[in-house]
Amino acid sequence: MDAALLLNVEGIKKTILHGGTGEPPNFITGSRVTFHFRTMKCDEERTVIDDSKQVGRPMHIIIGNMFKLEVWEILLTSMRVSEVAEFWCDNIHTGVYPILSRSLRQMAEGKDPTEWHVHTCGLANMFAYHTLGYEDLDELQKEPQPLIFVIELLQLLGQVEAPSEYQRETWSLSHAEKMQAVPILHGEGNRLFKLGRYEEASTKYQEAIVCLKNLQTKEKPWEAQWLKLEKMINTLILNYCQCLLKREEYYEVLEHTSDILRHHPGIVKAYYVRARAHAEVWNEAEAKADLEKVLELEPAMRKAVRRELRLLESRLEEKRAEERRRCRDMLG
């Protein structure tokens, strides 16, 4: 059929390439829609930017859940199952596509686009480094332009699902659901930690952090609500670091705690946890400096600090004794 304005939505034109089957699906809020897509520029070559079939994995979104590229929900809800359609979208609808594309490419490369310990989301990376990490996406970011999306709404059983028909993942929760999920995940992480199930506990803490990080992107940095979320995030990161200590991932602990202290130099627990990690990798001076900072900020922790200092001295003496023994063996 000829291109025509879609449902009187400004800046969108649709061309059906292959008709769908049956009645239009019931796209209720919370339904999951799975589809293949190809994104192209509007140049003479119709340069392909992304193609889910080449990646070998279809895309899915949750209806009504403020997806990064809101126009896709408009496009999909105009389609029937098995339909293939081409959509021309003006740049008023495509401005955030480079950020979405970056996340999709990271997933295709086996990376987690919401990986919280990277410390910055796509938007933050863009402001901090002036790049999204892909030259073509940087070009689109600097000069937004109309894009063409070819979308195939899949017919596979269960690919258009009501919320009750699938296990909802943390990232797909609404704003209110994320806030409700955080204390539950936090509590579950604490329970697993006490049981010695540190890997499972760390996963729960990570899920809670992802929820809070997503919520924080909607707030203005350093204002009251943003700071409230930041405090909750730091608490969970330090809990996660406690799991890492148990799993002997000491250098990752140093990375996370140092990042917290760069932005919030008054967090006592961050110094304490970092001191323990320094001690484990034989950074004697750094461990003692952090423990001294703990005493300066929180004198009531004197007993815990003394315990850590005694433990550090004991381990250092054992290390020195082992080194002396090795020297004797080499000389003998």
Side-chain angles (χ1 to χ4, degrees):
M1 61 179 290
D2 294 332
L5 285 176
L6 170 62
L7 303 179
N8 296 317
V9 178
E10 181 184 359
I12 301 175
K13 295 180 181 179
K14 175 180 179 180
T15 304
I16 296 177
L17 305 179
H18 177 78
T21 59
E23 295 297 319
N26 185 19
F27 294 98
I28 63 174
T29 298
S31 295
R32 183 168 66 177
V33 183
T34 302
F35 57 97
H36 275 299
F37 74 95
R38 183 166 66 254
T39 305
M40 300 177 289
K41 292 184 177 180
C42 295
D43 54 15
E44 291 184 7
E45 296 78 17
R46 291 166 64 94
T47 303
V48 175
I49 301 171
D50 295 300
D51 189 334
S52 64
K53 287 189 176 180
Q54 286 186 358
V55 174
R57 180 169 53 190
M59 180 72 182
H60 68 262
I61 67 171
I62 309 299
I63 297 297
N65 203 47
M66 296 184 293
F67 184 65
K68 284 182 182 177
L69 193 67
E70 295 180 10
V71 70
W72 272 8
E73 187 170 315
I74 298 172
L75 309 184
L76 287 162
T77 53
S78 76
M79 300 178 69
R80 298 173 184 267
V81 172
S82 295
E83 180 180 325
V84 181
E86 180 177 299
F87 299 89
W88 176 91
C89 296
D90 200 357
N91 55 16
I92 60 173
H93 300 291
T94 62
V96 299
Y97 183 81
I99 297 171
L100 168 64
S101 177
R102 175 183 180 273
S103 296
L104 298 177
R105 292 181 186 188
Q106 286 188 315
M107 285 191 289
E109 293 165 7
K111 301 175 184 177
D112 182 353
T114 60
E115 186 72 11
W116 64 272
H117 65 254
V118 173
H119 308 305
T120 48
C121 64
L123 280 170
N125 277 337
M126 181 180 69
F127 292 130
Y129 306 113
H130 309 291
T131 179
L132 291 171
Y134 302 91
E135 187 176 341
D136 59 335
L137 299 184
D138 288 339
E139 180 187 341
L140 281 178
Q141 187 70 49
K142 292 174 185 175
E143 299 181 11
Q145 56 189 266
L147 295 175
I148 295 169
F149 301 109
V150 177
I151 295 178
E152 177 186 1
L153 183 56
L154 299 179
Q155 189 178 14
L156 298 176
L157 182 63
Q159 295 302 294
V160 180
E161 304 165 299
S164 60
E165 294 174 353
Y166 63 93
Q167 179 67 39
R168 296 184 70 187
E169 300 172 30
T170 302
W171 65 265
S172 72
L173 301 177
S174 67
H175 184 288
E177 288 169 333
K178 285 187 175 77
M179 285 301 294
Q180 293 168 1
V182 167
I184 296 171
L185 291 166
H186 192 167
E188 183 65 9
N190 291 347
R191 184 185 70 83
L192 292 165
F193 185 90
K194 290 176 182 177
L195 292 173
R197 295 158 62 179
Y198 304 120
E199 188 167 351
E200 294 173 73
S202 64
T203 298
K204 295 298 179 183
Y205 293 139
Q206 281 180 298
E207 288 184 40
I209 292 163
V210 168
C211 285
L212 292 171
K213 286 281 189 180
N214 288 339
L215 293 171
Q216 197 181 42
T217 61
K218 298 175 175 63
E219 304 295 335
K220 190 171 182 180
W222 304 105
E223 292 199 347
Q225 184 60 22
W226 189 94
L227 288 170
K228 179 182 177 181
L229 294 169
E230 181 79 352
K231 184 177 179 180
M232 296 169 68
I233 288 167
N234 289 334
T235 297
L236 285 160
I237 290 175
L238 290 172
N239 284 9
Y240 176 76
C241 285
Q242 298 275 26
C243 295
L244 294 178
L245 285 173
K246 294 291 187 180
R247 294 163 54 192
E248 302 182 359
E249 300 285 350
Y250 305 123
Y251 289 102
E252 191 173 343
V253 173
L254 294 175
E255 178 188 348
H256 295 314
T257 51
S258 296
D259 186 69
I260 289 175
L261 291 169
R262 273 194 294 272
H263 298 94
H264 308 283
I267 298 180
V268 177
K269 187 176 179 181
Y271 284 108
Y272 185 73
V273 173
R274 188 171 72 173
R276 293 180 61 193
H278 275 309
E280 292 291 346
V281 295
W282 309 109
N283 295 338
E284 179 182 1
E286 291 85 349
K288 288 181 176 179
D290 278 347
L291 290 171
E292 288 173 5
K293 192 68 176 178
V294 170
L295 274 182
E296 176 189 328
L297 295 171
E298 189 57 71
M301 290 188 67
R302 184 174 303 275
K303 185 177 179 180
V305 168
R306 284 176 176 171
R307 183 181 66 246
E308 291 298 328
L309 284 171
R310 286 195 301 269
L311 182 60
L312 176 59
E313 288 299 333
S314 175
R315 294 182 68 251
L316 287 170
E317 181 54 38
E318 289 176 5
K319 183 185 180 186
R320 286 190 286 266
E322 175 65 19
E323 288 173 349
R324 287 194 296 269
R325 185 189 65 77
R326 288 179 181 176
C327 286
R328 286 195 301 270
D329 290 346
M330 289 173 65
L331 292 172

